[in-house]
Amino acid sequence: MNTISKKTISYKAFKENLQPTLKNLDSSYKNAWNYVSFLNNPIAKEQILYECSQGETFSGIPKLIFDIMSKKSSFIHIICLKKKFIDDFKEKYNFPNVVLVSHGSKEYFKNVAVSKYLVSDHYMMSNFSKRPEQNYLFTGDMSMVPSSSYDKKIQFDMRHCLQADAILSFHKQYKEDI
């Protein structure tokens, strides 16, 4: 009788064998891999991540919350911006407890996965899944959305609203629709 032997491989060996394949993958697959790999890290209990319009700006309700919370020195504040905007914001937010990360970078995915508090006015990446230990405030800022894209925006936001611990928006029609 033939027996089947179980072959084991360590995570380290698995990852090392997978690295050449990962380098050739489409960036969206790499992003998913990065995000999921960071979900094993512990939650940073005094860390707040702010994201506005997927890194296009830093304004609206997330910025107002940052202005209030940044006075609490015990928190680390992570501001997510597109790479092209980081230099513009470096001087303005040059504080020891403020970190600027490039939206879509490995550092971005790490901070989305481990920040205790998440504040966003836009939908997060498609594979985002709020961890039970995280608190997610979805602000749904509709001030920059043209009426022709409104229905599409609602569809994307709906999934994130279901994960949110709280929803805060000054846009009356948006609040009613959500």
Side-chain angles (χ1 to χ4, degrees):
M1 174 183 236
N2 293 341
T3 59
I4 299 172
S5 63
K6 184 177 178 182
K7 188 176 182 180
T8 62
I9 184 169
S10 71
Y11 177 74
K12 183 179 176 185
F14 169 74
K15 193 171 180 180
E16 285 172 2
N17 291 333
L18 198 58
Q19 286 302 329
T21 305
L22 284 175
K23 287 180 182 172
N24 295 325
L25 284 178
D26 178 77
S27 66
S28 61
Y29 292 116
K30 287 180 192 175
N31 293 343
W33 174 268
N34 286 331
Y35 176 65
V36 170
S37 69
F38 290 123
L39 291 174
N40 293 323
N41 293 359
I43 293 289
K45 293 185 178 173
E46 294 202 353
Q47 184 168 302
I48 306 171
L49 179 131
Y50 305 89
E51 183 175 50
C52 299
S53 302
Q54 294 190 321
E56 290 290 334
T57 185
F58 187 51
S59 60
I61 297 172
K63 169 121 178 17
L64 292 172
I65 293 170
F66 168 81
D67 290 342
I68 294 166
M69 295 302 294
S70 63
K71 293 171 180 49
K72 297 190 176 280
S73 61
S74 64
F75 283 90
I76 301 294
H77 303 275
I78 310 295
I79 301 173
C80 303
L81 295 163
K82 297 262 174 150
K83 190 175 185 176
K84 63 184 177 183
F85 300 121
I86 287 188
D87 287 338
D88 298 339
F89 283 83
K90 272 185 182 175
E91 191 175 313
K92 188 173 183 179
Y93 297 105
N94 187 17
F95 304 109
N97 63 335
V98 176
V99 179
L100 302 176
V101 299
S102 177
H103 187 276
S105 68
K106 197 170 187 174
E107 217 33 50
Y108 166 79
F109 290 106
K110 175 187 174 204
N111 285 293
V112 169
V114 302
S115 293
K116 171 75 174 171
Y117 304 98
L118 306 165
V119 180
S120 177
D121 68 354
H122 209 267
Y123 59 89
M124 304 285 265
M125 64 213 167
S126 61
N127 58 338
F128 170 72
S129 180
K130 184 183 88 73
R131 294 167 68 176
E133 310 93 329
Q134 290 179 309
N135 293 301
Y136 180 29
L137 173 62
F138 183 76
T139 64
D141 183 8
M142 294 301 297
S143 61
M144 299 180 72
V145 176
S147 59
S148 61
S149 343
Y150 182 76
D151 290 339
K152 185 177 180 184
K153 168 94 170 115
I154 289 292
Q155 290 171 3
F156 282 114
D157 288 353
M158 204 58 110
R159 187 173 79 79
H160 296 285
C161 289
L162 293 173
Q163 295 185 69
D165 295 293
I167 299 168
L168 175 64
S169 178
F170 297 122
H171 191 273
K172 182 181 176 185
Q173 182 64 45
Y174 183 77
K175 284 193 292 190
E176 289 173 6
D177 290 345
I178 294 293

